[in-house]
């Protein structure tokens, strides 16, 4: 009888513990079955074409979030937009690479302080592979921190951090630095358990974060195969099969115009045509309807930051 | 009688001296009455639109020279053009300012070495006035030298130097540094006696140069009044009234497209419309005809450099 009582107590204790492990959607005040979605434009600031298309898609389309590349030449245009639209949801697309053929940028940190980040021409490396081979984690950390500081100098209050070309996911040390910078500035950083399977190194995400950190249940982004098969079809499937939880759809918005064709020359993947297709779909009435029909609730990083990171605790 | 002989000898000696003061056109091997003209596209490298229009106008129009802004984001595109067109006439548009509203660049020298060149945002100043108030001449000199070094690193062999927004003409010390850099790299720098009247300081050009240095007889460039009255009319008059000597016509070529409209936003003077008009005129058959009808001989800085600066003496 006594033993049965102990089992019963243990049973109720377990129920108690499990019931406290809330889903992100519940922590944010939504029912467990809610399909939350961030429709997120990457690469803001890289070019005027990207800025114009992203801002248009945020204002008249379904895009509700984006992130800024601080080292890029069109930063001032983004800062002006943020000033005029202070509630916009823009974070930082922490940038350690400069991937295009003829249009380049360097670090925001002085070259002599981060020599490992820069190639022989003084630009950030084109590829993540070269970056990781050459850069010390401390250099990546310093550059990421300086990009945040520079955004603040420009009056930009970033709602979240993520990572251009996934460079922060390229080594365990880079990943640790990325998470550290998020903590320093008390903003959510894009993280998901998916990373445990996709990074080139083995790690346990729980060992790097605290239970209060927000994880995205699913990061969704088109790959070159999806582009070949047709982007509208890919995005339709994404929206129709979205599951409850916090989902983040990473897209790239720009016009297929002279500037963007030149920026992305010789690089059809993630090129200007791809970006125009993203713009077309996420400003279409079809997209709006699909979100409604599939009961998808849009959420911003700003809401996540302000509800779960900056509660005044 | 003896006195008359002395006068006669002096007279012939004077004739001898004056006859040795050759015009630039004579030093270059052309008759004294030759109207030499460099049709020069400024601001190469500033934007893709500027690059594309300038290269097109050099290849199929009457533009035969240009100069590159080394700190700008599209430098790699220019370096690629120079590699593919090694005989092209491109010099350096030594750049100490970053004048546009939302599209900015900094120095090529590390910020900590040239703090006086940079504004609070880390960009070169928008105006020459701010530059001159803030920068030490030694900083301007170091930045100009590093721009030349950077061009050489990129495989660009500059045919001449000139100065973006005339910033090298803004103080006597800047002017001295500009001339000094030309000597260091043994290339002609854009100079004219006109400067003595137009600079905000008084000086005697002869005190800064040697007799072997080339002076342009006339630097010609449209101002906002000319733009208001109509650029084709202005350029027609320039070509019809050109005088014998070495003339340098400074123009700015770009397309009036989305990119260039955004670069030059809120700045109609030297804006995208202005640059499109320059492109239109200097790729027109009318321009080609006017050059012929008025016996204008086009000459490049490369020819001047190679005949008068790099003779192997």
């Amino acid at each position: 009888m006594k033993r049965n009582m102990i089992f019963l107590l243990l049973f109720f204790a377990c129920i108690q513990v499990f019931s406290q492990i809330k889903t992100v959607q519940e922590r944010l005040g939504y029912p467990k079955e809610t399909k939350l979605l961030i429709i997120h434009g990457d690469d803001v600031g890289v070019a005027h074409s990207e800025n114009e298309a992203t801002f248009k898609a945020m204002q008249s389309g379904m895009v509700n979030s984006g992130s800024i590349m601080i080292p890029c030449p069109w930063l001032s245009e983004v800062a002006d937009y943020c000033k005029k639209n202070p509630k916009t949801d823009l974070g930082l697309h922490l940038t350690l690479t400069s991937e295009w053929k003829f249009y380049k940028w360097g670090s925001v940190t002085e070259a002599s302080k981060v020599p490992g980040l820069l190639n022989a021409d003084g630009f950030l490396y084109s590829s993540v592979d070269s970056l990781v081979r050459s850069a010390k984690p401390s250099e990546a950390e310093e550059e990421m921190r300086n990009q945040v500081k520079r955004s603040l100098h420009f009056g930009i209050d970033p709602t979240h951090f993520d990572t251009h070309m996934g460079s922060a996911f390229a080594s365990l040390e880079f990943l640790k630095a990325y998470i550290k910078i998020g903590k320093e500035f008390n903003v959510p950083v894009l993280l998901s358990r998916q990373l445990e399977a996709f990074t080139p190194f083995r790690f346990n995400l729980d060992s790097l974060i605290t239970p209060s950190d927000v994880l995205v249940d699913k990061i969704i982004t088109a790959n070159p195969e999806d582009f070949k098969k047709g982007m509208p079809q890919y995005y339709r499937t994404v929206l129709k099969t979205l599951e409850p939880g916090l989902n983040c759809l990473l897209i790239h918005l720009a016009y297929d115009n002279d500037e963007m064709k030149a920026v992305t020359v010789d690089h059809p993947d993630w090129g200007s045509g791809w970006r125009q297709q993203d713009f077309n779909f996420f400003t279409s009435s079809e997209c709006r309807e699909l979100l409604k029909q599939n009961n998808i609730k849009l959420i911003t990083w700003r809401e996540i930051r302000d509800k779960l990171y900056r509660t005044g605790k």
Side-chain angles (χ1 to χ4, degrees), chain A:
Chain A
M1 189 65 193
K2 203 177 170 190
R3 190 186 266 179
N4 281 352
M5 271 297 285
I6 291 169
F7 277 122
L8 208 64
L9 281 172
L10 269 171
F11 176 73
F12 281 114
C14 285
I15 285 178
Q16 183 71 8
V17 166
F18 282 114
S19 69
Q20 280 180 347
I21 300 176
K22 284 183 177 174
T23 61
V24 182
Q25 54 273 37
E26 288 171 305
R27 289 171 59 198
L28 288 160
Y30 300 101
K32 200 171 173 177
E33 64 276 14
T34 312
K35 302 174 193 173
L36 291 177
L37 178 63
I38 304 167
I39 303 182
H40 187 276
D42 286 9
D43 295 2
V44 177
V46 70
H48 171 69
S49 180
E50 192 93 21
N51 287 351
E52 208 183 5
T54 308
F55 299 156
K56 180 110 192 255
M58 290 177 94
Q59 291 184 319
S60 63
M62 304 312 295
V63 177
N64 71 339
S65 183
S67 58
I68 309 163
M69 298 175 73
I70 295 297
C72 291
W74 286 92
L75 171 63
S76 297
E77 190 174 50
V78 185
D80 184 70
Y81 181 85
C82 290
K83 198 174 164 189
K84 289 173 181 158
N85 300 275
K87 290 288 165 209
T88 196
D89 190 42
L90 284 169
L92 301 193
H93 204 45
L94 296 168
T95 300
L96 301 175
T97 47
S98 172
E99 70 271 37
W100 306 114
K101 189 172 179 183
F102 291 140
Y103 176 70
K104 310 298 290 178
W105 52 84
S107 54
V108 309
T109 313
E110 286 211 324
S112 60
K113 291 181 184 162
V114 287
L117 291 185
L118 302 168
N119 68 16
D121 293 337
F123 299 129
L124 293 170
Y125 283 98
S126 294
S127 76
V128 176
D129 280 356
S130 302
L131 164 73
V132 172
R133 263 200 303 272
S134 166
K136 289 182 205 156
S138 61
E139 293 173 310
E141 180 178 327
E142 186 173 6
E143 174 63 16
M144 288 193 278
R145 184 177 293 109
N146 285 336
Q147 290 183 13
V148 184
K149 287 183 181 170
R150 187 155 173 77
S151 79
L152 298 172
H153 168 81
F154 272 81
I156 298 167
D157 176 24
T159 60
H160 64 291
F161 301 153
D162 56 29
T163 167
H164 182 56
M165 294 171 65
S167 47
F169 305 147
S171 82
L172 181 59
E173 292 73 23
F174 280 33
L175 179 60
K176 283 180 181 170
Y178 167 72
I179 292 171
K180 183 178 171 189
I181 304 288
K183 296 249 175 265
E184 274 180 30
F185 294 93
N186 199 22
V187 301
V189 300
L190 178 70
L191 286 172
S192 161
R193 292 213 182 279
Q194 290 164 284
L195 293 175
E196 290 172 338
F198 287 107
T199 50
F201 51 91
R202 298 278 66 81
F203 76 109
N204 176 349
L205 190 53
D206 289 317
S207 69
L208 304 181
I209 59 172
T210 62
S212 66
D213 287 322
V214 166
L215 293 182
V216 169
D217 291 297
K218 202 165 180 187
I219 299 171
I220 306 160
T221 194
N223 64 42
E225 272 308 303
D226 303 316
F227 176 60
K228 268 179 213 146
K229 287 181 194 160
M231 294 296 249
Q233 187 49 48
Y234 171 74
Y235 290 126
R236 273 177 213 128
T237 307
V238 164
L239 298 183
K240 285 179 185 171
T241 59
L242 205 72
E243 290 178 18
L246 177 57
N247 300 280
C248 186
L249 176 56
L250 304 178
I251 60 175
H252 304 80
L253 304 133
Y255 299 127
D256 189 19
N257 61 7
D258 286 349
E259 180 195 12
M260 210 62 202
K261 278 179 180 155
V263 167
T264 64
V265 67
D266 294 346
H267 202 299
D269 291 340
W270 291 275
S272 55
W274 175 310
R275 288 163 199 251
Q276 179 74 58
Q277 285 194 43
D278 279 5
F279 177 83
N280 294 349
F281 187 84
F282 289 95
T283 54
S284 70
S285 53
E286 181 192 0
C287 173
R288 192 180 298 268
E289 283 306 309
L290 279 169
L291 293 170
K292 239 187 252 174
Q293 287 162 10
N294 293 282
N295 295 314
I296 294 167
K297 164 77 186 153
L298 294 187
I299 186 169
T300 62
W301 279 110
R302 181 179 290 279
E303 182 176 340
I304 296 167
R305 184 195 69 177
D306 293 349
K307 280 186 176 170
L308 301 182
Y309 286 74
R310 297 193 181 171
T311 51
K313 278 186 290 190

